[in-house]
């Protein structure tokens, strides 16, 4: 997939409220059928609770492949406008993401 393809996928996923909700969730605790407790953390550091939090960040997805390197599909809303940024294969994923969202 190209960055453009990923952006289109994110745009379509944002139209599904349950998907958008989970993509913006920082952590989720649950008990499995045996009663064991589990905690799942989102790896997207630009979310409000993250160490690289970005004002207005609303989600979306981190990833890694050998060809694309570290990747981040990020969404943020400011002044009623939602933006989507796709960053691939950079040493400063969150810095570039913030810069693109600011632009």
């Amino acid at each position: 997939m190209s960055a453009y393809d990923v952006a289109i996928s994110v745009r379509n996923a944002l139209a599904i409220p349950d998907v958008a909700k989970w993509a913006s969730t920082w952590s989720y605790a649950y008990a499995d059928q045996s009663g064991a407790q589990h905690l799942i953390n989102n790896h997207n550091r630009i979310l409000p609770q993250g160490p690289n939090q970005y004002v207005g960040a609303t989600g979306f997805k981190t990833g890694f492949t050998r060809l694309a390197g570290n990747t981040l599909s990020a969404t943020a809303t400011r002044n009623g406008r939602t933006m989507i940024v796709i960053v691939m294969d950079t040493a400063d994923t969150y810095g570039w993401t913030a810069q693109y969202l600011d632009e």
Side-chain angles (χ1 to χ4, degrees), residues 22 25-30 37-43:
W22 288 112
T25 301
W26 178 248
S27 64
Y28 179 71
Y30 70 97
Q37 297 294 313
H38 300 275
L39 179 65
I40 299 172
N41 290 315
N42 193 324
H43 297 278

Side-chain angles (χ1 to χ4, degrees), residues 58-87:
T58 56
F60 208 78
K61 174 86 176 82
T62 62
F64 176 85
T65 66
R66 196 167 29 104
L67 290 173
N70 289 314
T71 63
L72 177 61
S73 306
T75 58
T77 300
R78 281 196 181 163
N79 301 320
R81 183 176 183 179
T82 298
M83 300 157 290
I84 300 170
V85 169
I86 311 301
V87 175

Side-chain angles (χ1 to χ4, degrees), residues 11-53:
R11 182 192 68 193
N12 292 338
L14 285 172
I16 304 168
D18 284 342
V19 174
K21 175 186 134 191
W22 288 112
S24 67
T25 301
W26 178 248
S27 64
Y28 179 71
Y30 70 97
D32 66 22
Q33 292 177 341
S34 72
Q37 297 294 313
H38 300 275
L39 179 65
I40 299 172
N41 290 315
N42 193 324
H43 297 278
N44 184 349
R45 296 175 173 212
I46 70 161
L47 290 174
Q49 302 88 338
N52 298 87
Q53 57 188 282

